[in-house]
Amino acid sequence: MNHIDFNNKKVLIRVDFNVPLDEQKNITDDTRMRAAMPTINHVLENGGTVILMSHLGRPQKKLKEDGSINVEQFTLKHLVAHLTDLLGVEVQFCEDTIGEKAQAKVGALDKGQVLLLENTRFHKGESKGDEALAKGMADLADIYINDAFGTAHRAHASTTVVAQYFDKDHKSFGFLLAAELENANKVLNNPERPLVSIVGGAKVSDKILLLEKMIDFVDVLIVGGGMAYTFVKSQGGKIGTSICEDDKMELAQKLLKKAASKGVQLLLPEDTLIADKFDNDANRNVTLTSEIPDDWMGLDIGPKTIEKFAKTISESKTILWNGPMGVFEMENFATGTKSIAEAVAAATANGAFSLIGGGDSVAAIKQMGLSDKVSYVSTGGGAMLELLEGKELPGVKAMKE
Ligand code: AMP
C-alpha cells in the first residue's frame, strides 16, 4: 500500500465488516471495523476516494419465505452511522454493490469522500466467485485493496476474483491483512525456539490438519479442551461421558506416534476438572484424566495440568494458541483457559512472541481483558487456521498474479 499513488484515484477496499448486531441492529462488537481504519485513513490522507465493500452474515442461507433477500436484517446500512463516527467523514451508502446505481454514486464522489456499497452476499454470485459480478465491482475503481483477512481463505468474487482485473501496480493488501500475514510468518518461518503450540477446543476433527502440521515443526504441542479426551481414550484411559470422537481415536494414536518419532513433546492433561452434568452448577471434582468415573465428564483441565502447561509456556520463546482448555463459557470451568491466557501474557512480558490464532481463544483472551498483553490477536478464525495449516489463501494468491 505504501508504494501506491492514491491521489485522485477511486479505491475499492474489500473490508471485513461482518460485525455482530443485536435485535435493534446496534453493533455489539466493532473490532473488525476498527481494524480496517488504518487502511481507509491511509487512502483518504493520500488523496483517494474510498469505496468500501463487505459481506454481513449469510443472507443467501436465510432468505425470506418468498425466496427474496431479507434486506432489513442484512443490509450494511446499519453500519453507516457508526462508520461515520469512526472515520469522522460522512459516509454515503449505495443500495447495490454493482451496476448503474453504484456507478452513478461512485461517479459523483469527490476526493476524500467515502461510499459504502451494499452487502456483497446479496448477489448469489459472490460466494461462487462469479466473474461478471467481480467485473462489475472492478469497473467501479482504479485500484483494489483487500483488507478482509477474515474471508481471505474464500475464493469469492469480492475477495479473490475481482483482483484479476487489476494489474500489480493497482492492487494490494491493506495494513490489517499484511499484519496478519506478517504475524503468522513470525511463527511459521524461523521462529525463536522453543516453540510451543497450544491447541484446544471441542473436537479433534476440526483441527486435524493443524495438529499434523504442528507436529512437523513445534518443539512442544499442548493438547487441551474437549479434544484431549479422544487422545486419552485412545491410550486406554477411562473418560466417562466426556466429549470424544471414537472415529478419530486411530488418528490420535497416529499423531501420538508421529510426535514421539519426531522428538516433539505432546502434552495431554494429566488431571481434569470433572462435572456430573454439563452445567455451570454441576457437582465438581478433580481426577486423573484417564480415570474419570462412568457418569462424569471432563469440562476443564485440572490444577496439576495448569501448573505443568504454565511452566512449559513460561519456558517458550514463541507461542501459538488456538482453542480453549475447557468450557470457558461457564464460569466454573473457565479456570484452565484463564490460567493459560495468564501464562501466555506472562511469557510475552518476558520477551516471548505470542500469537492468538483465531476462534474461541480470541473470545477467551478478550473476555479476560488480556488482548493487549499478548503479541498479536488474529481477527480471522478460519483464515488464520488455514494459514497455520500451511495453505496459501486464495485472497492472498490473487494479489500476486
Ligand atoms: P473450537 O471452536 O473448536 O475452538 O471449540 C471451542 C468450544 O470447545 C468451546 O465452545 C468450548 O466450550 C468447547 N470445549 C472446550 N473444552 C470442552 C470440554 N472439555 N467438553 C466440551 N466442550 C468443550
Side-chain angles (χ1 to χ4, degrees):
M1 277 240 307
N2 287 324
H3 303 293
I4 295 180
D5 176 11
F6 292 107
N7 197 26
N8 290 318
K9 299 283 179 359
K10 299 252 162 46
V11 186
L12 179 64
I13 311 179
R14 176 43 159 112
V15 285
D16 181 1
F17 282 175
N18 185 27
V19 290
L21 300 170
D22 65 15
E23 298 260 303
Q24 284 74 45
K25 307 292 182 267
N26 298 307
I27 299 160
T28 54
D29 181 351
D30 69 350
T31 309
R32 286 179 167 158
M33 293 174 79
R34 286 180 186 276
M37 289 304 123
T39 294
I40 301 171
N41 282 325
H42 179 84
V43 173
L44 292 174
E45 281 158 16
N46 287 279
T49 303
V50 168
I51 306 154
L52 297 170
M53 62 176 173
S54 174
H55 73 287
L56 177 67
R58 297 184 164 184
Q60 298 290 346
K61 294 241 157 76
K62 296 194 175 152
L63 296 173
K64 292 212 258 190
E65 267 177 24
D66 64 1
S68 65
I69 294 276
N70 189 338
V71 176
E72 184 39 38
Q73 186 175 353
F74 293 106
T75 178
L76 279 172
K77 211 172 184 171
H78 300 309
L79 276 53
V80 170
H82 189 57
L83 192 54
T84 296
D85 284 349
L86 287 175
L87 286 169
V89 175
E90 185 84 30
V91 174
Q92 302 178 42
F93 182 73
C94 177
E95 292 80 17
D96 206 345
T97 321
I98 57 164
E100 275 175 30
K101 241 188 220 169
Q103 288 283 358
K105 287 244 175 182
V106 167
L109 288 176
D110 278 334
K111 187 172 172 161
Q113 291 192 311
V114 180
L115 176 72
L116 177 63
L117 299 171
E118 186 54 288
N119 194 335
T120 53
R121 290 193 186 164
F122 281 6
H123 291 266
K124 247 193 189 144
E126 162 70 336
S127 35
K128 295 190 177 118
D130 183 76
E131 297 215 355
L133 175 62
K135 176 82 169 59
M137 293 166 175
D139 284 346
L140 298 173
D142 308 305
I143 295 168
Y144 170 68
I145 301 289
N146 186 358
D147 211 17
F149 179 70
T151 45
H153 59 314
R154 312 240 185 252
H156 291 177
S158 69
T159 61
T160 301
V161 184
V162 63
Q164 74 188 6
Y165 300 104
F166 297 85
D167 64 34
K168 277 190 187 150
D169 296 330
H170 293 85
K171 63 182 169 187
S172 169
F173 307 129
F175 293 134
L176 171 67
L177 209 152
E180 296 273 358
L181 295 177
E182 199 180 297
N183 282 289
N185 276 332
K186 280 188 195 160
V187 174
L188 294 171
N189 296 327
N190 283 325
E192 251 203 278
R193 291 182 183 268
L195 163 60
V196 62
S197 176
I198 310 153
V199 183
K203 293 182 185 163
V204 180
S205 53
D206 290 338
K207 293 179 191 168
I208 296 172
L209 288 175
L210 180 69
L211 290 164
E212 280 184 346
K213 168 85 188 176
M214 290 299 126
I215 292 174
D216 280 334
F217 89 122
V218 301
D219 301 296
V220 186
L221 175 60
I222 290 178
V223 176
M227 68 167 64
Y229 301 104
T230 301
F231 283 83
V232 173
K233 190 172 174 188
S234 82
Q235 292 174 311
K238 288 187 183 150
I239 59 162
T241 56
S242 306
I243 186 171
C244 180
E245 291 169 286
D246 285 341
D247 62 333
K248 292 291 171 288
M249 288 209 300
E250 216 171 289
L251 173 81
Q253 279 283 316
K254 199 183 102 193
L255 292 172
L256 287 163
K257 277 194 196 127
K258 187 175 165 187
S261 76
K262 292 211 156 210
V264 169
Q265 251 195 79
L266 195 156
L267 300 182
L268 292 168
E270 230 174 277
D271 61 346
T272 287
L273 179 61
I274 57 171
D276 60 354
K277 58 182 171 185
F278 192 81
D279 192 322
N280 190 45
D281 299 323
N283 290 309
R284 281 171 284 154
N285 209 342
V286 174
T287 61
L288 290 178
T289 311
S290 56
E291 290 178 16
I292 299 177
D294 284 350
D295 293 332
W296 290 65
M297 63 184 81
L299 294 185
D300 197 7
I301 52 176
K304 269 199 196 127
T305 301
I306 290 176
E307 207 175 301
K308 183 161 183 191
F309 286 2
K311 183 165 182 287
T312 304
I313 291 164
S314 74
E315 291 161 356
S316 306
K317 285 274 179 287
T318 308
I319 303 159
L320 169 66
W321 183 17
N322 184 304
M325 296 290 99
V327 186
F328 75 103
E329 298 93 333
M330 297 187 207
E331 204 190 333
N332 285 334
F333 303 101
T335 310
T337 302
K338 197 171 176 197
S339 308
I340 295 310
E342 281 162 358
V344 173
T348 312
N350 274 333
F353 174 79
S354 55
L355 172 65
I356 313 304
D360 270 347
S361 28
V362 171
I365 207 105
K366 276 193 196 167
Q367 186 181 308
M368 283 144 203
L370 292 171
S371 303
D372 58 350
K373 300 273 189 296
V374 295
S375 308
Y376 193 74
V377 181
S378 177
T379 59
M384 184 50 86
L385 203 55
E386 290 200 13
L387 259 191
L388 297 172
E389 286 167 359
K391 293 180 190 154
E392 185 166 34
L393 309 182
V396 172
K397 192 161 171 255
M399 285 301 178
K400 300 179 186 162
E401 287 167 348

